[in-house]
Amino acid sequence: MAPSVLITGASRGIGAACARLFAQAGWDVAVNYNSSESAALALVRELEGLGGRAVPIRADVADPAQAAALVGRAEEEFGRLDCLVCSAGVALPQQLLTDTTDEQWRYVLGVDLDGVFYTVRAAVPGMVRRKRGSIVTVSSMWGVTGGSCEAAYSAAKAGVIGLTKALAKELGPSNIRVNCVAPGVIGTDMNAHLSRANLDALADETPLCRIGTPEEAARCVLFLAGEDAAFLTGQVLQPNGGLVI
Ligand code: NAP
């Protein structure tokens, strides 16, 4: 029986790259999306072409009822979940903390941190019952170092790392591994607002002299999800070209 994974925020970017790599590696994939339905449906058709099962599931992970229903639907489709990948995320334009409104703060914390809590909380009971499973969260280098004018995002992503480490301790005795990927600058829609000059400057600051691809972040996720990482838990893997060491 093929292993199964639910990937949140799989319609675009790093989540979509994860979906492709997991499917290529023989996993059945539940593709969560929120607003990008046509992209999610096209991705599911592409994954089915690889021979495995793929199902699109719409849910806003910031809503606890929708996040619980998302996990329930994925478990129903595949009979169980071997892995949960929490990639859904949003960012604000760079701005001072003092310019950040309550709504903006709640929006970022709601998707980037609460969304991880809600989906993980829903997925854990099934994994504990089977004494088997792995969870990979997606943080950011700003969750490790803090980013100037990125306070809400940095707070949410630091929270994801804390949640990951706490859960690794809590769930290790149940044979469930919990790890995190904290990418540097990756070429996705999240950075589409940056000018060519800004992207070039970020590449110049990076020891490997370029920004990363969604596939390079996804490779770290797939590694942590599977048996090659069987003795790794509570870890934060940082595909960032050396920008943050
Ligand atoms: P992206 O290309 O903008 O894609 C974001 C994904 O998140 C989309 O699939 C989107 O789905 C989904 N999403 C957003 N809000 C959601 C919600 N409420 N419920 C469910 N899904 C939701 O971003 P990305 O660059 O791939 O980012 C993926 C993850 O990596 C995020 O957690 C991000 O913080 C993290 N990250 C990115 C970078 C980078 O440089 N790109 C660096 C470090 C960390 P819909 O379009 O269907 O709404």
Side-chain angles (χ1 to χ4, degrees):
M1 188 189 278
S4 58
V5 60
L6 164 61
I7 303 170
T8 71
S11 51
R12 296 183 288 115
I14 294 169
C18 288
R20 290 189 176 93
L21 286 188
F22 275 81
Q24 285 162 12
W27 292 63
D28 290 336
V29 183
V31 172
N32 162 245
Y33 65 98
N34 187 30
S35 54
S36 303
E37 183 164 56
S38 53
L41 297 184
L43 178 62
V44 163
R45 282 192 297 275
E46 182 188 328
L47 302 187
E48 285 170 341
L50 296 170
R53 293 188 61 201
V55 285
I57 311 177
R58 202 204 80 72
D60 175 353
V61 296
D63 178 305
Q66 291 188 42
L70 164 67
V71 171
R73 174 76 201 293
E75 289 175 334
E76 210 176 281
E77 287 284 345
F78 300 138
R80 85 221 165 274
L81 266 187
D82 295 299
C83 180
L84 169 68
V85 175
C86 298
S87 186
V90 293
L92 298 173
Q94 289 194 329
Q95 60 185 12
L96 296 173
L97 174 77
T98 43
D99 290 337
T100 304
T101 65
D102 294 355
E103 290 71 27
Q104 288 175 321
W105 178 269
R106 276 298 346 133
Y107 173 58
V108 173
L109 272 286
V111 177
D112 292 2
L113 182 56
D114 300 356
V116 177
F117 164 55
Y118 296 143
T119 43
V120 167
R121 182 176 60 179
V124 160
M127 292 181 177
V128 168
R129 260 196 309 279
R130 289 183 302 107
K131 289 266 186 291
R132 185 182 170 78
S134 73
I135 296 169
V136 184
T137 59
V138 179
S139 175
S140 158
M141 65 177 172
W142 298 139
V144 178
T145 65
S148 174
C149 296
E150 301 265 10
Y153 186 75
S154 300
K157 293 300 187 179
V160 167
I161 292 173
L163 177 64
T164 302
K165 291 186 176 207
L167 268 181
K169 291 180 177 167
E170 187 173 318
L171 297 176
S174 298
N175 193 33
I176 298 162
R177 297 181 301 102
V178 191
N179 290 291
C180 178
V181 173
V185 187
I186 305 292
T188 69
D189 295 344
M190 192 169 271
N191 293 318
H193 64 285
L194 296 175
S195 66
R196 187 70 260 163
N198 279 340
L199 286 170
D200 287 348
L202 283 164
D204 281 348
E205 275 177 55
T206 304
L208 288 179
C209 305
R210 62 176 179 85
I211 65 169
T213 67
E215 290 73 19
E216 286 169 328
R219 283 193 190 288
C220 295
V221 174
L222 180 64
F223 164 67
L224 288 172
E227 285 307 302
D228 285 346
F231 200 49
L232 292 180
T233 196
Q235 302 299 311
V236 182
L237 196 53
Q238 302 185 57
N240 62 28
L243 188 55
V244 168
I245 298 179

